[in-house]
Amino acid sequence: MMTSAGRRVSMVKIFQNCIKEIGSGRVICTDAGDTAPACFLADKWYKVPKANSPDYISSLLYICKKEKISAIVPFIDTELMVLSQK
């Protein structure tokens, strides 16, 4: 799962190409907005609260369980602090 995907279209494409080579997997993106270009290229995407929201972590955990996600790739530095504390 790629968090705060925003305009990182090239990153989504790179991950999707790697997944094709491996033969399995999906790119799932999250963003606080509902117009993030990278999300529209993802295999699936979710709108989530901003990283400083008290509901941010629980939203990510819900998505991880629902989608059976095993890796999170944060794209915003402020997310690193929030994720590292949980």
Side-chain angles (χ1 to χ4, degrees):
M1 176 168 64
M2 304 166 117
T3 61
S4 296
R7 296 176 295 187
R8 292 164 186 88
V9 171
S10 59
M11 290 299 291
V12 171
K13 289 179 180 179
I14 289 168
F15 273 75
Q16 286 173 329
N17 287 336
C18 290
I19 287 169
K20 283 180 188 175
E21 288 181 24
I22 293 170
S24 67
R26 298 174 296 144
V27 174
I28 297 174
C29 291
T30 66
D31 201 89
D34 48 5
T35 60
C39 288
F40 294 108
L41 290 178
D43 298 311
K44 194 166 187 177
W45 75 276
Y46 291 87
K47 184 176 179 179
V48 296
K50 291 185 178 185
N52 60 357
S53 167
D55 297 326
Y56 181 69
I57 294 295
S58 61
S59 296
L60 294 185
L61 289 174
Y62 169 79
I63 296 165
C64 287
K65 288 177 186 175
K66 180 179 178 185
E67 300 292 340
K68 299 179 179 155
I69 292 170
S70 58
I72 297 175
V73 180
F75 285 128
I76 304 267
D77 289 345
T78 54
E79 289 179 312
L80 295 172
M81 183 61 76
V82 173
L83 290 170
S84 71
Q85 294 175 352
K86 300 297 173 183

